[in-house]
Amino acid sequence: MSSLGAGLRDVAWGREELVTFEKSFYKEDPAITSIPMDAVERFRENAGIQLIVPRGEDTIRPIQEFKQAGFPPYLLAELEGAGFKAPTPIQAQGWPVALMGRDMIGIAQTGSGKSLAFIAPAILHINAQPTLRRGDGPIALFLAPTRELAVQLAAECSKFGRSSKIRNTCVYGGASRGPQAQQLSSGVEIVIATPGRLIDFLESGKTNLKRVTYLVLDEADRMLDMGFEPQIRKIVSQIRPDRQTLLWSATWPKEVQALARDFMMDKRGPVRITIGTDELTTNHNITQIVDCCEHYDRNPRLMDLVTKKGREDKVIVFCETKRGVDDLEHQLRRSGVQAAGIHGDKSQQDRDRVLKDFRDGYCTVLIATDVASRGLDIKGCKLVINYDMPKTAEDYVHRIGRTGRAGQLG
């Protein structure tokens, strides 16, 4: 891993002929401007929004309805078609900041709607830029820590970018390089990537990042936990310094703060938005039950839980080891339960198939290691079971965050 990216050289940006780009698109809706500041503060307090702007700047008011963001009709239609009723807190405060073209730090827990908080502004940003020329790399780059999160972000980009005909591709290890390389070479506006595979393509010349003007680092704390900091720094060195950068994290440790200081290039300084707290906390929509039992009682208790669930309800069961996942999957299937397992030793094709079956309801019980503890957004997941307790509190919080998403109870 230490040699990964050794072939990349720092770019002399002063010698590059860079495409001029726009990044400020926001005009405050008169309905928002007319709201008294005490009412704005009450809205923030009720929504759990904390906003920190650089010293000397005016506050940036949150929106309360989709139409107040200034999105064009085609994007509003996509949002309404997805069944959303109102912006989540991170969207309400984050959209105005991102649409202003500001560098932004978003501290928000899983299930808060943060993906759309950066995808929707990215669509406007891309549509305002000159079209890609032959040999150009992407305009927007989303870096993610895991294959599962990257694939999920790509699905969201496809859903909300289709009316604009914005192309995206997802590049990650564990899958064939050929199709990914072909899509990169054909030209795409958005690349969603895990760090290692992207560096591979950069070193081999399959793409470049000289057109990237909108950079997203998603789950930055997780990427640092996984040891990706050197790779992230090598990737960012290939991106023009006048870009817009949005960094997202569930927590705000010193390591993430250092990353933000180094990557935020706006001379005004970044805007920081925290939803709830910057400490890792559990989602209040999730009821937690601790069932103390002997080791030999775990399987009967598990069977009781999965057989009494609703017919359409989905359940994720977390195990500590890959062998534990395989053993439990076989036990449940022998008992007539529609169960399937995923872990790091399974091929990406198998993992994608299992997740699709789980999303589509063909399989209603997913057995997994912590590869499924972050990034997965599965509608209808009503119950998470820690068959084996995780090693850290952080892993526990992210595991149970697979339920109770987007205001639902779990």
Side-chain angles (χ1 to χ4, degrees):
M1 293 292 287
S2 60
S3 63
L4 189 63
L8 295 178
R9 298 289 179 263
D10 289 343
V11 181
W13 293 108
R15 301 176 183 175
E16 293 288 333
E17 185 179 342
L18 299 176
V19 174
T20 302
F21 74 101
E22 299 179 42
K23 60 179 178 179
S24 181
F25 313 102
Y26 186 68
K27 184 177 181 181
E28 190 171 82
D29 190 288
I32 294 298
T33 308
S34 65
I35 299 175
M37 275 310 302
D38 59 342
V40 171
E41 292 303 328
R42 281 198 303 273
F43 175 83
R44 284 202 187 106
E45 184 178 356
N46 292 334
I49 300 171
Q50 301 175 50
L51 177 71
I52 300 177
V53 297
R55 185 175 299 176
E57 288 196 17
D58 293 333
T59 190
I60 301 170
R61 294 166 178 253
I63 64 167
Q64 299 182 22
E65 302 175 19
F66 288 127
K67 64 182 181 181
Q68 294 167 343
F71 290 137
Y74 62 82
L75 188 50
L76 285 174
E78 295 285 357
L79 293 169
E80 292 170 1
F84 300 133
K85 304 301 182 186
T88 67
I90 190 59
Q91 294 164 2
Q93 186 64 78
W95 276 336
V97 175
L99 290 169
M100 287 177 178
R102 298 298 300 271
D103 283 356
M104 187 175 98
I105 299 161
I107 312 297
Q109 302 300 326
T110 183
S112 61
K114 64 180 174 63
S115 298
L116 197 53
F118 60 78
I119 289 174
I123 292 171
L124 264 69
H125 182 102
I126 291 165
N127 283 337
Q129 312 313 325
T131 55
L132 293 179
R133 302 166 299 190
R134 185 177 181 85
D136 279 349
I139 295 171
L141 172 64
F142 302 164
L143 286 179
T146 65
R147 292 174 281 187
E148 282 73 22
L149 177 56
V151 169
Q152 186 165 289
L153 289 175
E156 292 294 294
C157 289
S158 296
K159 181 193 303 182
F160 293 102
R162 60 190 170 193
S163 58
S164 306
K165 297 183 179 178
I166 289 176
R167 299 161 296 177
N168 74 80
T169 191
C170 187
V171 301
Y172 50 84
S176 174
R177 292 178 79 261
Q180 295 178 5
Q182 186 174 13
Q183 288 183 323
L184 286 173
S185 298
S186 66
V188 290
E189 286 79 16
I190 302 176
V191 167
I192 308 101
T194 55
R197 178 53 64 90
L198 179 59
I199 287 179
D200 180 10
F201 284 132
L202 290 172
E203 286 191 304
S204 61
K206 296 299 182 183
T207 191
N208 66 81
L209 304 180
K210 294 179 181 179
R211 280 293 306 268
V212 171
T213 50
Y214 189 94
L215 169 65
V216 173
L217 304 175
D218 197 12
E219 294 200 1
D221 51 349
R222 176 64 166 164
M223 286 198 281
L224 294 183
D225 288 345
M226 296 173 69
F228 286 142
E229 182 174 355
Q231 291 94 320
I232 295 170
R233 291 187 178 279
K234 287 174 180 175
I235 289 167
V236 175
S237 74
Q238 306 297 302
I239 303 174
R240 53 193 288 173
D242 56 349
R243 64 184 178 264
Q244 180 180 2
T245 304
L246 295 87
L247 182 148
W248 299 86
S249 183
T251 55
W252 189 229
K254 291 180 180 179
E255 296 81 3
V256 176
Q257 294 176 38
L259 211 63
R261 283 194 301 270
D262 292 346
F263 291 166
M264 300 288 174
M265 307 302 289
D266 192 330
K267 293 180 180 178
R268 295 169 292 182
V271 177
R272 192 171 105 205
I273 302 168
T274 301
I275 304 301
T277 174
D278 56 14
E279 299 293 330
L280 192 64
T281 59
T282 57
N283 184 334
H284 296 300
N285 291 325
I286 302 171
T287 300
Q288 300 175 63
I289 301 170
V290 180
D291 189 348
C292 298
C293 63
E294 297 295 337
H295 184 81
Y296 56 78
D297 275 337
R298 288 196 304 171
N299 280 16
R301 299 279 181 96
L302 177 65
M303 284 300 302
D304 188 53
L305 286 168
V306 299
T307 54
K308 287 184 177 178
K309 70 178 182 64
R311 183 182 179 88
E312 303 298 324
D313 292 345
K314 299 184 179 78
V315 177
I316 301 179
V317 182
F318 282 102
C319 293
E320 187 62 30
T321 66
K322 301 165 188 174
R323 181 176 178 178
V325 169
D326 292 337
D327 289 347
L328 199 56
E329 177 186 359
H330 295 150
Q331 291 176 34
L332 290 174
R333 292 176 74 89
R334 282 199 302 269
S335 300
V337 176
Q338 291 177 306
I342 63 169
H343 54 64
D345 279 353
K346 294 205 172 188
S347 70
Q348 190 62 40
Q349 184 177 5
D350 285 343
R351 288 160 69 171
D352 290 344
R353 175 184 53 78
V354 168
L355 288 175
K356 184 178 188 305
D357 287 348
F358 189 56
R359 283 193 173 91
D360 294 344
Y362 296 118
C363 152
T364 55
V365 178
L366 178 68
I367 319 294
T369 59
D370 280 325
V371 298
S373 67
R374 288 187 182 235
L376 289 185
D377 187 7
I378 307 290
K379 290 182 173 61
C381 181
K382 297 297 180 67
L383 177 64
V384 169
I385 300 171
N386 285 288
Y387 186 81
D388 297 315
M389 281 299 291
K391 289 185 173 68
T392 68
E394 287 80 4
D395 289 339
Y396 173 78
V397 171
H398 286 293
R399 282 183 180 186
I400 71 172
R402 298 313 97 205
T403 188
R405 301 179 69 82
Q408 300 298 308
L409 299 179

